[in-house]
Amino acid sequence: LKHNDIKRKYAQQYELEFVKKKLCRLVKRVQTLHGELAQEAGDVAAVEDTHDLRSFDLDEEEFTAILEDEEVKVLMTDLDISLYNPGGMFDTFDFDCDGKVSML
């Protein structure tokens, strides 16, 4: 019985670290893509903001473009998040209905 408890404890620790690493990679990738999209749009202030770990907002177009990125898709799949309807997912994260998703 103790052996199973120890195995369960290590499995939970591994799972926590796995999720933490994937979330960190996802945030960094979203930040990079946000900077690239801002650069394409000529938004100098947004490009400068991506060099810091400051918060930034994504509109629905940016959010959808980011979810179409292959690396983002893989990371989301690794985290067991389905991407069947990116527009619907935007509505889920835009909890205050202001047309933006905040990345903190």
Side-chain angles (χ1 to χ4, degrees), residues 30-97:
V30 168
Q31 186 178 25
T32 299
L33 292 171
H34 172 67
E36 290 173 5
L37 291 169
Q39 191 170 20
E40 288 174 14
D43 187 351
V44 177
V47 172
E48 290 173 0
D49 283 348
T50 60
H51 297 296
D52 295 330
L53 290 177
R54 295 186 218 172
S55 64
F56 56 91
D57 295 327
L58 301 172
D59 62 23
E60 189 168 0
E61 185 179 327
E62 290 172 311
F63 185 84
T64 303
I66 286 170
L67 290 184
E68 291 173 356
D69 179 70
E70 287 304 315
E71 187 176 341
V72 169
K73 286 180 184 179
V74 169
L75 290 166
M76 297 287 266
T77 301
D78 289 347
L79 292 166
D80 291 330
I81 300 171
S82 300
L83 297 175
Y84 295 114
N85 183 4
M89 188 172 277
F90 179 82
D91 293 337
T92 300
F93 288 109
D94 181 20
F95 63 91
D96 56 0
C97 301

